Amino acid sequence: MSIENISLIIKISSYFVMIIICILFFILLYKLIKKIDISKYRIDKEIDKKYKNDGKISSMKMNMSKMGIMYRVQDYDLNPSWYILVRIMVGVLIGVILYLLTNKMIIIAIGIFAGYIIVPIYFKKKNKDDNEDMMMDLYNTYANFKIQMGAGIYIIDSLEAAHKTANNKRYKEALGELILNFADKTIPMEEAINIFKNRFDNRQIDKLCALLENCIQYGNSEEYARDIMIEIQSLITANTLKTENDIENKAGLIKFAFFATIIFLVAYSLYIEFADISLF
């Protein structure tokens, strides 16, 4: 038997062994998941119990709602245990990956800590992006209010018109929830507005909720809507200028990187060409 055939057999055998190991690993993982489900339920219960005993469960749930965590998970009754466990799991995952790359135990602790703080940073960044993305939708909502209040149209009709034209998914979903809660006679309008307000961590949403409350209590708030429209318009303009500056900066950086690469390649080619030539 030739060396090539032996190496081929060894290669096929190694692939076969790897497949068997993977199958056994997934069988073991499946059995572990069943046990973990029971343990996870107990851990969830203990974490939520601690937050409840400390009187922090309501504020934690509100924070998860405001940061858009509940929206992204599509569970508006999410408990703090989910968020805490996700942070821990991400931390452990990063810690294990860093350990496999460096083979140093101390890196695991650093990775766990890094992963634990990365999760809230991620959600804060996504919340900031949402707030910027929904600015035009907010402006259109105020524009609808201004026009339709002047025509004496009811507040729910104004919200439905704004809902139809909204582009930001998070804002559209929360606006739809607000409309349904307004239509539900068992939910007070003030409570419906408060639920909507707590879906966001956004100063402009707070002002919109103040406008809605004002409309419910006193009726027409056309002038207030116009004032906020002007403020939002200035914010949209500022964001547009910022985006244009960012694009220009990125374009400049790409040009610099391109020319720097060319210069490096030319310099390297010259070095290779004249490396063997002694100048002295």
Side-chain angles (χ1 to χ4, degrees), residues 162-228:
H163 180 262
K164 286 176 184 176
T165 58
N167 291 314
N168 181 271
K169 290 181 181 179
R170 183 178 167 190
Y171 180 71
K172 192 180 185 78
E173 184 176 303
L175 207 56
E177 182 188 30
L178 175 64
I179 293 165
L180 289 173
N181 286 341
F182 272 163
D184 188 345
K185 301 302 180 186
T186 62
I187 301 174
M189 297 187 86
E190 290 79 6
E191 185 182 337
I193 293 169
N194 201 44
I195 291 169
F196 174 73
K197 182 180 178 180
N198 289 333
R199 295 287 180 242
F200 304 94
D201 182 19
N202 187 325
R203 199 163 62 90
Q204 301 307 324
I205 293 286
D206 294 345
K207 290 183 178 181
L208 174 60
C209 292
L211 172 64
L212 293 171
E213 288 171 351
N214 197 56
C215 288
I216 291 167
Q217 291 179 11
Y218 307 111
N220 199 318
S221 297
E222 188 179 344
E223 187 177 344
Y224 182 67
R226 189 193 69 237
D227 291 341
I228 301 176

Side-chain angles (χ1 to χ4, degrees), residues 143-155:
N144 274 322
F145 275 149
K146 186 176 179 296
I147 294 165
Q148 296 187 23
M149 280 175 188
I153 295 172
Y154 190 53
I155 188 171

Side-chain angles (χ1 to χ4, degrees), residues 251-267:
L253 189 62
I254 290 167
K255 285 178 184 177
F256 172 78
F258 176 73
F259 287 116
T261 303
I262 291 173
I263 292 167
F264 171 78
L265 290 173
V266 170

Side-chain angles (χ1 to χ4, degrees), residues 76-90:
Y76 288 100
D77 197 32
L78 200 65
N79 284 322
S81 55
W82 181 90
Y83 182 53
I84 299 299
L85 286 174
V86 164
R87 293 178 70 178
I88 292 169
M89 286 166 65
V90 170

